[in-house]
Amino acid sequence: MNSNATTDGWTCVCRIGEIVPDTGVCALVAGEQVAVFRLAGDTLHAVDNIDPESGAAVLSRGLVGSLGERVVVASPIHKQHYDLRTGECLEDAALHVHAWQIRRDGEHVLIRRGER
Amino acid sequence: MTTRLVVVGNGMVGHRLLEELATLQPPDLEITVLGEETRPAYDRVHLSEFFSGKTAAELSLVAPGFFEQAGIRLRLATCATGIDRARKRVTTADGNELPYDKLVIATGSSPFVPSIPGSDRAGCLTYRTLDDLDALSEWGGRSKHGVVVGGGLLGLECAKALRDTGLETHVVEFAARLMAVQVDDSGGQMLRKAIEDLGLVVHTGRNTQRIVDGAARRHRMEFADGSHLETDLIVFSAGIRPRDELARQSELGVGQRGGIMVDNFCRTRDRDVYAIGECAQWGGKVFGLVAPGYDMARVVAKHIYALQARRPAPDLPEFAGADMSTKLKLMGVDVASIGDAHGATPGSFSYQFSDGRRQVYKKLVVSEDGKRLLGSVLVGDAADYGSLLQMMLNGMELPESPETLILPSGEGKPKPGLAVDALPASAQVCSCNNVSKGQLCEAVAAGATSLDALKQATRAGTSCGGCVPLVTQIMKAELARAGVAVNNHLCEHFAYSRQELYHLVRVERIRRFDELLARHGHGLGCDICKPVVASILASCWNEFVLQQEHASLQDSNDYFLANIQKDGSYSVVPRMAGGEVTPDGLIAIGQIARKYGLYTKLTGGQRVDMFGARLEQLPLVWEELIAAGFESGHAYGKSVRTVKSCVGSTWCRYGVQDSVRQAIDLEHRYKGLRSPHKLKFAVSGCTRECAEAQSKDVGVIATEKGWNLYVCGNGGMKPRHAELLAGDLDTATLVRYVDRFLMFYIRTADRLQRTSVWRDNLEGGMDYLRAVVIDDTLGIAAELEAEMKRVIDNYACEWKKAVSDPQVRRRFRHFVNSEAADDNVAFVPERGQLRPATREEKRSRLERIPVVVETE
Ligand code: SRM
Ligand SMILES: Cc1cc2nc3c(=O)[nH]c(=O)nc-3n(C[C@H](O)[C@H](O)[C@H](O)COP(=O)(O)OP(=O)(O)OC[C@H]3O[C@@H](n4cnc5c(N)ncnc54)[C@H](O)[C@@H]3O)c2cc1C
Ligand code: SF4
Ligand code: FES
């Protein structure tokens, strides 16, 4: 595994240039799959990669966009929308994913478990 | 005291009576029903759909639990054989006697079989009940050739059904033309041509004298003119006769040409006996349609209710005759006849329009003063049936020049059609269920704002379906009046329909989503508008879908050029144009599938699908497929999928053209074309239609002279037969029409609208489409062809580009920071291959893996 864990819990997962604008990638962080998104203006978001509805590890492959004020990703399996800031599912309150902390350090994209 | 009601016959009308009674719930009524058939009531009107796959259960008219809930006793397979009116008893074939206080006879009618020598031979059948259809399937399976005696409404429907089961089918008609009762001479000629185009052979003016053993086939029919015809099976559909045996035997009064005589309350001369449906005769007429029968059922139910409730009922409904306008319900042949089709009214005159090439014939019969419509005949295009019928029934004033009603609309000028606003509230819109315009408007006001809701609330449109276009029009008009704007905006980011966006992209030559969003939208976009715009851009400019500025717009399937499966793995579908593949190609696919452990299956689109590829395997698999000569099959896109073919004239002894070559050529021409929804084609080498072309968006069927082009069909959720756009085309013309048709669809369709739905929403329907595609009435044909050329010229295999572009290739990794595979994808063996593990299977597997402990 080539992710470098730092002492304060932040892990560098990739360089910003490795994410096509307005899409996501999946990162492996200590055995967990995290979907990392780069949106317009280079804002970054990270949530669990596993879609709780289907159980498939696919959220990083969903289309991103906005619904009202929310920034969302649509699961490629059955199209539920997850709020990228909070992890809530817009269609079904019983489904939600964990939102990870994310920040940028120069070219590096770093993420950390814990509440945002 | 309880009144015992006995109903003889559980057919369409008898059952409608029971439904009406179950709703009204008259007090102290005990109902017993005798049905001769082994099944309770079913939909005879849609009987022929039995051959296109409808089951007896689907045809049933009985809601589950109906008889139990209504407390009605039903005795099936019980034939009433006599009525003893003095003792008020019905006897049944099994020797029982059933006392009644009130009796309703609803015994329908039976097919008329002429009493010619030999008409009772084995293999001489009729067409009225499900049992008849069983017998027909049975005999049909053992036959190659069939004859239907009778070229009326039912005969033609039956002949088409026979033809569809694969028999060479002939229609033998006594009169000089088909549908002699409904259609005039000119209409009859046009109809004959249309029927022949369905692959049926028509003989008119033939009087069958006797049926004897044939030399080459089972039967030989000998005609009065000395000619003869040999065939394996014969179906008589030469009219119906009311089943009035019970009435004759009990002296209830039967008309000269049959039918139990009834009054306006459908009572016979015995006040305690009613007769309804096709067995009844009113005003000297027997009504061979279901709507008048339903009307009679309503009248009798209300009458019985009034008697039971012992209340004066001043406004009891009475039966007042019925309009006998009819429409033939054959796929691909539009025929309708309204009112006084033959112009028998003194002083009336007529307008006629005929178009030999498109096989359309229309006639209007107009009153002496030119103000009212009396009748009409429509052949080849009956789209106006509903509105003309309403004009006639409601005596509405005709436009200044009535001929505009039947002349084709030129240069985009809309036809004067029927303004639904002009219809009076009392106008009966659905005759099957007696629903007026007023009732529809009320239901819309009460919240039924979709067609389904409206059908549920009023029952309109739920029987023959003939009124649905008009019902929809009324609903839309009411919604518009109520100010309910029917908004067709794509999503919150674009206040435009797909069609409008397409136009903007074309006209402003926009090539990127960002640009379109900046100029005409707001927000970030979403999973609705992004793929739509991606598709529009591809239809217009056909740039590589994965180049940087388009990549983020693609639906997940397009982004990875493969179909995502339930577990996050992908399927791989290489193109096999026309379903043709070499042994080497098959071997290559087999080897690749084995190497990567992929599950293989033949698809419904005549090619091989390989399932279970992990993301990172896709480029590797494709590299090998490309090396073996394959290219992308676009199974993932809203794009051209497959062109299915049959083996055609190269091998098949019936083929008249090389359907495989045509399919391959078409598939290569249009491969990669992106569209509002997927597009499917097929090409058959003769009318046997082994490639099922008539179920495709574009269907091509070979003829002796060239190709027939069918459009706007599909399978799927709502199967739809394609309709003939043009016939006997040479290949160049065929291709030109397909170019125009496809580009016109791409220009004007809504998001995710298949061609069939698009066509249904196209004002002017098939006529309009023909005018645009063939006659170029909009003057855009050259443009459409040029647009198609551009797409074709810019075709490149997406997978070839993807695997050779390192930037793109990098995206096919599951983890951005690891070469590991997705451990969430897991397979288990089944039938010698692999399938995705279920959640339970995954869980039990994961339990054995040590949990990774996180250290902060
Ligand atoms: C693989 C295949 C089934 C098979 O094992 O045979 C298939 C599989 C899928 N079909 Fe299909 N259809 C397949 C032939 C058909 C056919 C038969 C045909 O094409 O002759 C039909 C009916 C004909 C038609 O479309 O008119 C068909 C009607 C549908 C529909 C309903 C469309 C409709 O208008 O109602 C959908 C849903 C949709 O597209 O919205 C659908 C959607 C799908 C999707 C894409 C669903 C999805 O999003 O996962 C399936 C995924 C395919 C995959 O992963 O590769 N599939 N599907 C067939 C692929 C054919 C091919 O070679 O490309
Ligand atoms: C193929 C086909 C297509 C048609 N298409 C159309 C169409 O498009 N539009 C339209 O309006 N109409 C159409 N019709 C006609 C329509 O089906 C009839 O008008 C309708 O079924 C009449 O209903 P009914 O109840 O009077 O008779 P039926 O539906 O025939 O019912 C009579 C029932 O009574 C039973 N019965 C008879 N005698 C006895 C007895 N002595 N004891 C017990 N039971 C008895 C019979 O077995 C039968 O089940 C079509 C008919 C056919 C066959
Ligand atoms: S449709 Fe094709 S396979 Fe069928 S008979 Fe014709 S040529 Fe032969
Ligand atoms: S007219 Fe037959 S369903 Fe309405």
Side-chain angles (χ1 to χ4, degrees):
Chain A
M1 201 181 309
N2 53 14
S3 53
N4 347 315
T6 57
T7 45
D8 54 358
W10 287 98
T11 304
C12 171
V13 291
C14 65
R15 262 195 273 271
I16 186 102
E18 289 179 87
I19 316 179
V20 176
D22 279 319
T23 71
V25 295
C26 172
L28 185 60
V29 181
E32 281 196 79
Q33 296 198 17
V34 187
V36 179
F37 299 94
R38 171 184 178 190
L39 267 59
D42 286 349
T43 49
L44 296 167
H45 298 279
V47 297
D48 294 342
N49 190 41
I50 294 195
D51 168 20
E53 192 264 344
S54 61
V58 293
L59 286 188
S60 65
R61 305 178 203 164
L63 268 170
V64 293
S66 62
L67 286 180
E69 293 304 306
R70 296 186 192 241
V71 180
V72 297
V73 62
S75 165
I77 302 287
H78 290 132
K79 308 283 175 192
Q80 287 87 355
H81 297 91
Y82 295 92
D83 187 320
L84 289 181
R85 297 195 190 99
T86 64
E88 284 168 85
C89 174
L90 271 53
E91 284 79 13
D92 183 351
L95 301 176
H96 57 86
V97 289
H98 182 78
W100 293 58
Q101 294 177 342
I102 187 161
R103 69 180 169 87
R104 202 173 143 179
D105 184 0
E107 283 302 289
H108 298 283
V109 177
L110 297 109
I111 67 174
R112 177 166 84 162
R113 212 169 201 311
E115 301 313 317
R116 269 176 52 151
Chain B
M1 212 193 68
T2 310
T3 302
R4 290 162 302 186
L5 170 69
V6 173
V7 179
V8 183
N10 186 228
M12 296 193 74
V13 173
H15 194 69
R16 177 53 70 93
L17 171 73
L18 303 179
E19 289 178 341
E20 297 279 347
L21 287 172
T23 316
L24 292 170
Q25 301 217 338
D28 307 321
L29 190 69
E30 195 186 279
I31 309 177
T32 305
V33 183
L34 303 179
E36 173 197 53
E37 294 186 64
T38 51
R39 301 177 177 87
Y42 53 87
D43 187 351
R44 225 178 281 293
V45 170
H46 292 107
L47 197 63
S48 297
E49 291 175 22
F50 182 77
F51 287 112
S52 48
K54 269 252 172 88
T55 61
E58 284 169 313
L59 285 172
S60 172
L61 290 176
V62 183
F66 172 81
F67 287 103
E68 294 76 7
Q69 275 157 28
I72 297 174
R73 231 169 311 151
L74 170 68
R75 288 172 49 183
L76 290 175
T78 307
C79 183
T81 48
I83 303 172
D84 182 342
R85 285 166 49 204
R87 293 170 57 236
K88 294 198 143 193
R89 283 181 155 70
V90 177
T91 40
T92 59
D94 50 17
N96 283 324
E97 278 195 346
L98 203 68
Y100 69 80
D101 299 306
K102 297 279 172 195
L103 178 66
V104 178
I105 307 179
T107 46
S109 47
S110 52
F112 169 65
V113 179
S115 52
I116 42 176
S119 64
D120 55 351
R121 293 161 56 92
C124 287
L125 311 169
T126 54
Y127 196 69
R128 177 145 188 116
T129 65
L130 277 170
D131 288 343
D132 288 345
L133 263 57
D134 278 336
L136 198 54
S137 310
E138 238 270 308
W139 282 95
R142 289 186 264 148
S143 308
K144 288 216 160 63
H145 189 289
V147 166
V148 175
V149 178
L153 275 171
L154 283 186
L156 291 180
E157 192 177 316
C158 169
K160 172 72 166 35
L162 268 193
R163 177 73 194 82
D164 288 347
T165 64
L167 299 197
E168 174 175 349
T169 306
H170 292 231
V171 177
V172 171
E173 166 61 48
F174 174 71
R177 60 167 183 272
L178 297 174
M179 284 180 64
V181 184
Q182 293 89 358
V183 180
D184 63 6
D185 259 336
S186 319
Q189 278 171 24
M190 209 69 89
L191 172 62
R192 180 184 186 127
K193 181 104 189 9
I195 294 294
E196 287 171 346
D197 281 351
L198 292 177
L200 297 166
V201 184
V202 178
H203 312 265
T204 48
R206 285 293 201 296
N207 181 2
T208 314
Q209 298 264 288
R210 52 186 206 132
I211 305 167
V212 295
D213 281 336
R217 304 188 182 278
R218 182 186 321 275
H219 313 287
R220 176 187 175 105
M221 303 173 69
E222 296 184 350
F223 305 119
D225 62 4
S227 62
H228 64 84
L229 180 63
E230 294 213 348
T231 187
D232 300 321
L233 79 87
I234 299 174
V235 187
F236 286 101
S237 185
I240 51 173
R241 292 292 178 267
R243 292 192 61 175
D244 51 17
E245 313 91 83
L246 288 172
R248 286 179 194 272
Q249 167 267 347
S250 57
E251 294 178 346
L252 276 171
V254 169
Q256 221 168 30
R257 294 168 62 207
I260 310 168
M261 291 200 278
V262 297
D263 64 9
N264 289 5
F265 293 116
C266 300
R267 282 180 306 196
T268 62
R269 64 160 67 131
D270 181 332
R271 296 283 103 154
D272 292 323
V273 183
Y274 302 80
I276 56 177
E278 287 189 348
C279 65
Q281 191 226 72
W282 176 94
K285 274 189 261 173
V286 176
F287 300 88
L289 293 174
V290 76
Y294 281 177
D295 221 17
M296 293 177 178
R298 254 185 311 265
V299 166
V300 170
K302 290 263 167 64
H303 200 255
I304 292 178
Y305 178 82
L307 288 176
Q308 290 303 103
R310 291 171 194 284
R311 250 180 259 136
D315 53 354
L316 269 184
E318 298 182 27
F319 185 72
D323 173 62
M324 295 298 281
S325 301
T326 39
K327 193 170 161 197
L328 184 66
K329 45 182 196 313
L330 287 193
M331 269 306 172
V333 182
D334 269 6
V335 185
S337 142
I338 295 173
D340 179 9
H342 298 289
T345 313
S348 65
F349 60 97
S350 69
Y351 295 93
Q352 288 167 33
F353 165 78
S354 82
D355 176 340
R357 189 169 51 76
R358 287 182 22 245
Q359 293 175 31
V360 172
Y361 170 80
K362 298 180 178 184
K363 167 174 164 185
L364 294 181
V365 178
V366 172
S367 63
E368 195 166 4
D369 59 6
K371 292 232 165 76
R372 312 268 170 242
L373 183 66
L374 299 176
S376 170
V377 178
L378 304 170
V379 179
D381 171 14
D384 295 330
Y385 173 74
S387 21
L388 292 176
L389 180 62
Q390 288 300 330
M391 285 192 184
M392 196 267 299
L393 290 177
N394 295 293
M396 293 164 75
E397 185 141 343
L398 284 170
E400 189 119 352
S401 10
E403 69 275 15
T404 50
L405 289 172
I406 51 172
L407 290 178
S409 55
E411 306 305 322
K413 244 192 293 155
K415 274 201 294 192
L418 171 78
V420 285
D421 294 340
L423 273 183
S426 61
Q428 187 193 47
V429 175
C430 175
S431 54
C432 290
N433 300 291
N434 190 24
V435 184
S436 67
K437 177 185 167 195
Q439 284 167 300
L440 288 170
C441 295
E442 272 169 40
V444 173
T449 53
S450 70
L451 185 58
D452 278 344
L454 197 54
K455 278 181 170 176
Q456 240 179 14
T458 63
R459 252 182 154 172
T462 54
S463 304
C464 77
C467 60
V468 169
L470 202 57
V471 171
T472 314
Q473 249 181 303
I474 291 173
M475 180 186 77
K476 285 196 178 152
E478 278 308 293
L479 287 176
R481 200 197 318 284
V484 184
V486 196
N487 160 332
N488 60 356
H489 298 175
L490 194 55
C491 64
E492 63 180 68
H493 305 105
F494 289 99
Y496 297 98
S497 66
R498 179 194 173 276
Q499 191 176 345
E500 288 161 342
L501 282 180
Y502 181 92
H503 193 70
L504 290 173
V505 167
R506 272 264 180 227
V507 171
E508 302 182 13
R509 317 213 128 251
I510 293 174
R511 287 171 171 266
R512 298 173 46 148
F513 178 76
D514 296 352
E515 216 179 317
L516 187 69
L517 190 68
R519 282 204 219 169
H520 301 289
H522 41 263
L524 300 180
C526 64
D527 56 308
I528 306 279
C529 59
K530 283 181 175 179
V532 167
V533 174
S535 157
I536 293 176
L537 292 172
S539 298
C540 288
W541 321 122
N542 208 14
E543 292 176 342
F544 181 37
V545 293
L546 294 192
Q547 77 194 35
Q548 184 89 2
E549 60 270 37
H550 301 321
S552 69
L553 308 177
Q554 309 299 339
D555 236 329
S556 174
N557 281 356
D558 288 272
Y559 190 74
F560 294 111
L561 304 177
N563 288 60
I564 198 163
Q565 304 297 313
K566 58 200 276 190
D567 62 343
S569 70
Y570 287 86
S571 73
V572 174
V573 191
R575 190 166 292 291
M576 287 181 187
E580 189 182 82
V581 56
T582 61
D584 283 343
L586 278 177
I587 289 169
I589 290 206
Q591 280 170 339
I592 295 168
R594 189 166 54 196
K595 175 164 167 192
Y596 292 93
L598 306 177
Y599 165 86
T600 54
K601 176 181 181 302
L602 299 184
T603 72
Q606 297 191 338
R607 47 192 186 174
V608 182
D609 202 341
M610 292 171 263
F611 293 85
R614 275 185 264 106
L615 194 57
E616 71 277 7
Q617 291 178 324
L618 288 174
L620 304 172
V621 169
W622 270 106
E623 228 159 29
E624 298 197 26
L625 284 170
I626 290 167
F630 289 102
E631 52 183 356
S632 168
H634 291 94
Y636 42 81
K638 298 290 174 247
S639 54
V640 169
R641 294 285 169 86
T642 60
V643 182
K644 290 169 60 162
S645 76
C646 77
V647 62
S649 59
T650 322
W651 292 91
C652 174
R653 64 207 159 107
Y654 295 113
V656 293
Q657 306 278 354
D658 187 352
S659 49
V660 178
R661 145 94 6 131
Q662 186 65 271
I664 293 174
D665 288 351
L666 287 172
E667 185 157 341
H668 285 310
R669 182 171 181 84
Y670 300 112
K671 65 187 174 190
L673 174 68
R674 283 194 155 69
S675 45
H677 207 313
K678 58 191 177 192
L679 287 167
K680 300 182 175 183
F681 295 44
V683 184
S684 281
C686 81
T687 52
R688 284 165 192 74
E689 246 285 70
C690 303
E692 301 165 311
Q694 285 168 99
S695 67
K696 298 294 174 229
D697 299 279
V698 176
V700 178
I701 302 177
T703 68
E704 300 278 349
K705 294 179 215 136
W707 307 98
N708 281 351
L709 171 58
Y710 293 81
V711 294
C712 302
N714 63 236
M717 266 168 274
K718 266 205 176 152
R720 225 343 251 268
H721 273 125
E723 293 166 85
L724 185 70
L725 185 82
D728 291 333
L729 305 172
D730 56 48
T731 298
T733 315
L734 173 79
V735 166
R736 206 161 58 236
Y737 288 174
V738 177
D739 277 5
R740 295 176 184 178
F741 166 74
L742 291 176
M743 267 301 164
F744 187 54
Y745 161 66
I746 289 172
R747 256 195 195 193
T748 55
D750 259 338
R751 158 180 184 267
L752 296 187
Q753 198 173 43
R754 292 278 306 254
T755 53
S756 63
V757 183
W758 169 73
R759 177 244 179 273
D760 286 342
N761 286 290
L762 209 58
E763 234 160 88
M766 213 49 199
D767 254 354
Y768 176 65
L769 192 58
R770 279 196 200 99
V772 174
V773 171
I774 302 176
D775 308 326
D776 191 17
T777 47
L778 297 181
I780 55 170
E783 228 171 89
L784 296 174
E785 286 170 38
E787 285 166 6
M788 183 60 88
K789 182 167 184 310
R790 176 178 189 123
V791 172
I792 293 166
D793 289 347
N794 283 336
Y795 169 82
C797 170
E798 288 165 358
W799 264 112
K800 202 174 216 161
K801 290 192 108 162
V803 295
S804 50
D805 181 336
Q807 287 279 8
V808 170
R809 238 186 124 131
R810 283 252 304 284
R811 295 184 214 145
F812 289 87
R813 288 193 298 169
H814 186 67
F815 295 112
V816 69
N817 58 347
S818 160
E819 296 307 324
D822 177 6
D823 64 352
N824 197 42
V825 171
F827 301 110
V828 294
E830 189 169 276
R831 295 191 298 277
Q833 301 200 62
L834 295 177
R835 67 155 169 84
T838 62
R839 281 199 188 201
E840 288 64 43
E841 286 164 342
K842 277 193 206 172
R843 216 167 289 136
S844 61
R845 183 189 63 126
L846 283 173
E847 269 157 19
R848 277 178 268 117
I849 297 173
V851 179
V852 181
V853 183
E854 214 184 319
T855 45
E856 287 232 345

